[in-house]
Amino acid sequence: MMYKIDQARLGELFAAIAEKKDLFLPVKKADQTDFALWTKEAEVDLDTLRTVKSPKDCFFPQSETLYNTSLEEGKLSIDAAALCDRDFVVFGMRACDVQAVKVLDNVFLADPVDTYYAARREHAVLVAGACHEPEETCFCKVFGIDAAAPAADVATWRVGEALYWKALTKKGEALSEVVKEHLTPAEESAVEEAQTQIRSIIDKLPYSHLKLDVFKETPMMELFDSDRWEEMYKPCLACGTCTFVCPTCQCYDIRDFKTKDGVQRYRCWDSCMYSDFTMMAHGNMRTSQMQRFRQRFMHKLVYYPDNYEGMFSCVGCGRCVSKCPAALNIVKVIKTMGGEG
Amino acid sequence: MQRELMNRAKELLIDETVVRVLGWKKGDLGYNHEPAYFDSPEELEENFVYDAFCGANLSKYMIEAGKQEGKTLVFLKPCDTYSFNQLLKEHRIKRENTYIIGVGCRGNLDIDKIKAAGIKGIESVDADGDMLKVKTVYGEKEMPFEEALLERCLACKGKTHMVYDELIGAGEKEEAGPKGNRFDRVSELESLSPEERFAFWRSELSKCIRCNACRNACPACSCLKCVFDSNQFDSNQKANADTFEEQMFHIIRAFHVAGRCTDCGECSRVCPQGIPLHLLNRKFIKDINTLYGEYQAGEDTDSLAPLTNYTFEDAEPGIVAERGRK
Ligand code: SF4
Ligand code: SF4
Ligand code: SF4
Ligand code: SF4
């Protein structure tokens, strides 16, 4: 069922959601837009196409405590961090970011289930917005994602003065129910023209016609041993920006922080671009930046699809394309390896 | 100028003066050129580019390139030569392994400023005249060249190269140059109350994602292993744990590059969150100028540096308390 709300009244919609659940949405702070908890004062920004960081933090925060240990009078106690037990809504995701959550689900919800992640996913409702003005760095189409019809719990479109709202899942319908007094029924056809428009722009984008067959057809070891990695990695500064802005990068590190009488064990995002990535007692198995660089792209384009029925772990959001300080990115890798479309 | 640079690089490769060329390779979006090595005239012909999107400072790459067999030809813009000199001074690069072509520069462009002006879906940018002509999937757009300049170019140190073996295209276009006093914004921040200043930096640094791009792009950050990468340290270079850690990272970094930072602007250029990191460094530069006399890191390779040299005229540590009281 299609609904709509006047865009000028979105504040009321947000307030209504926030009354019942935590609401995360794109908020502009010091000139940059990232997902943050909604407050009355927050400067909500639905115009910026992509947030700098992806909404990944809402499900898999950059740093989170797993448990605390403490020693009291010779007795050791271990307190696991509380699991998420409050419903929350992530509003204003993009189709690519929604697909990225599926990429994470495959990893974290498979046995052994990551309970911290699973609790957040269970309590999350995903509300995504269609991309009315896609950018040149976008290549979601390559991964079969439709930016005109995001596959979230609720899809929204901004056409004229209105925001159109359509629940696609049970969770979505339940959310519609919560805010129903703010929504009025609308015609399905109201967004069709906008969708056609979006799809025609997507078709014109420079990266929309990349081909990924080479990663499926070439034997894994042949790709791994390719000479091209050696020439591609050289400008890489090993900073890790690409991994931290990426909605699908899922590697994490576990560390201990010494507290007064014990440790706080926490995890934080790791980056395969870092020299201590997968460091073990015997040392590190990837000893050069070329190997680390190769890991990032082999993981996204070869290993992950090999594990998950051909699904790639890149969703074409283009964040790494616009943020790498050395202008390297997965598109250049795809093209160099033979995926020019 | 691109053609001239390319031809000269080819000559130097062919006559074996150098064995490799460090320059910029044409990107696929018209603005995303990447630092690159070229080993042959054919590669140069195919991919070499020099235009207003060659912001990346290649001096940092010379730390690695300089360790390799044979000479590397590197193209340096005027501001890049300060970083190069500073690295020479710190014995991080072997001069004898380098052949420098100083390249003329009319300022580099900031793609984020172009996008912030509402220009989306960029297919190509023509930066030849005073107006940028941008082709986009949404039609043709225009904006003044000046308004899209990188912050660093607004504080240009001038068009003179501090170190080079030869110059190409230098001094041709004199229009670029300092656009104002680079310390204006620092003075503004100094005039705020400590609470307001703290709020400003909290708000900026709270965006930091600890991606380390600022550190890794910085030519002054040349430690083989950064203290933040140590696993012996009760901190973590990649954990965006709390506000204390965010601040500590940036304050330590700013202190560590104080007196060595040439104000090349790479940190601010690469920060994905648009944090004005250059303001921290400029505060140090401004204070050094005031307390120890005018000093520009990277201007030469032999002068004594203010913070590693002692004179009787040096400010006493008590100056901190005195200035803090104001
Ligand atoms: S963002 Fe670029 S330079 Fe940094 S690690 Fe990734 S590929 Fe390397
Ligand atoms: S690899 Fe790059 S384009 Fe792909 S999902 Fe990650 S950040 Fe986005
Ligand atoms: S990659 Fe596709 S879904 Fe993501 S922001 Fe761009 S157009 Fe939208
Ligand atoms: S580049 Fe920016 S976001 Fe990254 S660590 Fe530096 S200040 Fe933080």
Side-chain angles (χ1 to χ4, degrees):
Chain A
M1 173 82 188
M2 183 71 80
Y3 293 98
K4 69 174 178 178
I5 173 172
D6 209 344
Q7 291 200 44
R9 292 182 45 219
L10 279 176
E12 294 163 36
L13 178 78
F14 297 149
I17 297 175
E19 215 173 276
K20 298 272 162 52
K21 303 162 192 285
D22 285 341
L23 170 61
F24 294 92
L25 75 188
V27 169
K28 191 175 242 180
K29 189 174 173 194
D31 227 26
Q32 302 288 324
T33 304
D34 282 290
F35 281 83
L37 200 59
W38 181 82
T39 60
K40 275 209 175 61
E41 297 72 38
E43 189 187 332
V44 177
D45 171 15
L46 302 180
D47 294 328
T48 296
L49 183 70
R50 269 173 337 201
T51 47
V52 179
K53 261 176 135 183
S54 78
K56 181 169 75 179
D57 273 278
C58 298
F59 315 98
F60 171 40
Q62 184 162 3
S63 305
E64 72 179 307
T65 303
L66 302 175
Y67 58 79
N68 287 291
T69 68
S70 58
L71 198 59
E72 241 174 275
E73 293 170 9
K75 237 186 114 210
L76 181 72
S77 62
I78 301 178
D79 300 306
L83 296 179
C84 168
D85 60 357
R86 194 175 147 78
D87 285 352
F88 65 93
V89 172
V90 188
F91 183 97
M93 294 175 76
R94 297 295 176 194
C96 53
D97 290 338
V98 175
Q99 168 105 338
V101 175
K102 296 198 182 110
V103 171
L104 298 179
D105 284 354
N106 280 341
V107 176
F108 290 129
L109 299 182
D111 218 22
V113 172
D114 185 304
T115 46
Y116 298 91
Y117 179 86
R120 291 202 187 86
R121 276 296 278 130
E122 196 190 312
H123 287 283
V125 189
L126 279 42
V127 182
C131 306
H132 296 285
E133 288 186 312
E135 297 194 14
E136 73 278 8
T137 48
C138 297
F139 55 111
C140 49
K141 184 172 196 255
V142 175
F143 301 97
I145 300 165
D146 185 359
D153 293 316
V154 176
T156 68
W157 295 262
R158 293 163 76 203
V159 181
E161 303 290 295
L163 178 128
Y164 289 84
W165 170 290
K166 186 179 178 184
L168 304 172
T169 64
K170 286 226 163 59
K171 270 185 178 177
E173 277 161 18
L175 183 66
S176 301
E177 206 40 45
V178 170
V179 295
K180 70 168 183 267
E181 62 186 84
H182 299 275
L183 302 173
T184 50
E187 292 296 324
E188 292 274 336
S189 57
V191 301
E192 275 164 16
E193 200 187 309
Q195 286 185 311
T196 316
Q197 170 77 7
I198 293 172
R199 291 181 188 128
S200 89
I201 298 165
I202 294 266
D203 257 339
K204 283 191 247 164
L205 298 178
Y207 293 160
S208 273
H209 304 284
L210 292 170
K211 295 269 175 295
L212 298 166
D213 307 330
V214 62
F215 298 99
K216 301 213 155 152
E217 289 159 4
T218 321
M220 185 185 287
M221 286 319 288
E222 200 175 301
L223 292 166
F224 185 88
D225 289 329
S226 166
D227 303 335
R228 310 306 294 272
W229 298 113
E230 193 59 40
E231 61 186 78
M232 281 189 283
Y233 94 94
K234 287 223 171 95
C236 173
L237 293 163
C239 64
T241 306
C242 50
T243 48
F244 285 2
V245 296
C246 179
T248 69
C249 274
Q250 62 224 218
C251 293
Y252 59 83
D253 194 1
I254 296 182
R255 296 212 182 188
D256 290 342
F257 181 76
K258 287 188 209 77
T259 53
K260 206 164 75 248
D261 51 6
V263 297
Q264 179 182 32
R265 173 153 290 191
Y266 67 97
R267 70 167 163 192
C268 58
W269 296 351
D270 207 341
S271 169
C272 46
M273 295 298 194
Y274 289 160
S275 57
D276 64 347
F277 182 69
T278 62
M279 172 79 104
M280 290 174 283
H282 86 284
N284 202 325
M285 44 194 197
R286 292 183 200 85
T287 50
S288 73
Q289 192 56 28
M290 185 280 275
Q291 295 168 334
R292 294 174 206 125
F293 182 89
R294 176 174 61 192
Q295 165 62 21
R296 178 159 199 272
F297 301 103
M298 284 294 283
H299 188 195
K300 300 238 178 280
L301 302 167
V302 183
Y303 309 148
Y304 189 99
D306 202 48
N307 285 333
Y308 300 103
E309 293 163 0
M311 183 186 199
F312 288 99
S313 79
C314 170
V315 295
C317 73
R319 286 187 176 88
C320 60
V321 179
S322 52
K323 296 299 182 186
C324 171
L328 298 175
N329 55 64
I330 196 161
V331 173
K332 286 185 176 173
V333 172
I334 294 172
K335 288 184 175 176
T336 307
M337 298 305 273
E340 186 107 45
Chain B
M1 198 188 328
Q2 172 176 317
R3 177 46 57 190
E4 252 179 284
L5 298 177
M6 193 197 292
N7 288 344
R8 184 66 185 129
K10 284 185 193 170
E11 275 170 27
L12 289 164
L13 266 180
I14 292 168
D15 73 16
E16 295 178 1
T17 308
V18 300
V19 296
R20 72 187 70 76
V21 176
L22 177 55
W24 301 273
K25 178 177 165 184
K26 209 181 293 125
D28 57 359
L29 292 173
Y31 61 77
N32 57 346
H33 309 327
E34 67 186 64
Y37 293 94
F38 301 86
D39 297 322
S40 69
E42 294 72 36
E43 281 174 50
L44 282 162
E45 185 63 42
E46 201 180 331
N47 290 319
F48 179 82
V49 67
Y50 183 65
D51 61 20
F53 289 107
C54 293
N57 178 348
L58 301 177
S59 299
K60 175 97 186 198
Y61 290 92
M62 282 310 297
I63 301 174
E64 280 311 309
K67 288 179 195 154
Q68 292 170 35
E69 250 339 270
K71 261 195 189 188
T72 303
L73 160 60
V74 62
F75 292 104
L76 298 179
K77 304 185 292 293
C79 54
D80 303 339
T81 60
Y82 290 80
S83 313
F84 187 91
N85 251 354
Q86 186 62 30
L87 285 162
L88 278 182
K89 194 176 200 168
E90 294 168 13
H91 307 286
R92 307 303 256 150
I93 302 180
K94 285 203 192 100
R95 180 69 177 92
E96 60 275 21
N97 277 359
T98 327
Y99 189 95
I100 303 170
I101 296 189
V103 294
C105 174
R106 84 179 265 231
N108 273 268
L109 298 170
D110 183 346
I111 189 65
D112 293 332
K113 283 194 182 168
I114 298 177
K115 294 194 170 183
I119 302 180
K120 304 179 178 184
I122 298 171
E123 291 174 315
S124 69
V125 186
D126 171 3
D128 270 352
D130 290 335
M131 287 302 274
L132 295 176
K133 294 193 183 65
V134 191
K135 281 213 184 82
T136 80
V137 292
Y138 303 101
E140 293 206 18
K141 305 274 151 83
E142 277 198 341
M143 93 178 266
F145 185 94
E146 291 278 327
E147 283 173 23
L149 279 174
L150 276 171
E151 203 290 331
R152 83 151 69 115
C153 302
L154 300 176
C156 179
K157 288 186 276 292
K159 296 292 140 180
T160 317
H161 294 77
M162 295 296 116
V163 56
Y164 57 86
D165 290 299
E166 62 180 281
L167 295 173
I168 297 182
E172 275 175 13
K173 299 217 174 181
E174 297 296 344
E175 69 269 43
K179 302 280 184 289
N181 184 335
R182 65 176 168 146
F183 297 119
D184 283 352
R185 185 74 184 117
V186 177
S187 306
E188 253 174 70
L189 288 173
E190 284 172 343
S191 69
L192 299 177
S193 71
E195 293 74 23
E196 289 167 322
R197 201 155 54 229
F198 188 71
F200 169 81
W201 281 111
R202 271 304 316 134
S203 147
E204 286 295 343
L205 296 181
S206 70
K207 295 181 294 180
C208 174
I209 62 174
R210 291 306 297 276
C211 67
N212 295 306
C214 49
R215 177 192 72 179
N216 290 22
C218 171
C221 275
S222 62
C223 294
L224 288 180
K225 184 162 182 148
C226 174
V227 62
F228 284 96
D229 285 349
S230 164
N231 49 12
Q232 310 295 316
F233 187 43
D234 205 6
S235 172
N236 189 340
Q237 90 277 30
K238 55 204 165 197
N240 192 11
D242 52 30
T243 54
F244 174 75
E245 289 227 348
E246 275 163 12
Q247 285 151 211
M248 182 171 72
F249 171 63
H250 292 291
I251 292 170
I252 291 184
R253 214 179 77 76
F255 265 102
H256 196 188
V257 301
R260 306 189 301 117
C261 164
T262 65
D263 201 7
C264 80
E266 280 292 83
C267 49
S268 294
R269 180 183 73 86
V270 302
C271 177
Q273 289 283 28
I275 301 173
L277 296 159
H278 60 276
L279 292 176
L280 276 181
N281 303 325
R282 276 190 201 157
K283 165 67 178 158
F284 279 92
I285 295 172
K286 183 167 179 279
D287 281 352
I288 288 171
N289 285 348
T290 316
L291 298 175
Y292 300 93
E294 291 284 324
Y295 178 77
Q296 170 61 54
E299 208 164 37
D300 60 67
T301 53
D302 42 27
S303 65
L304 293 166
L307 298 185
T308 48
N309 177 35
Y310 173 77
T311 69
F312 285 112
E313 289 74 45
D314 277 0
E316 295 299 329
I319 190 87
V320 177
E322 268 165 52
R323 284 160 60 104
R325 222 173 283 134
K326 271 188 238 139

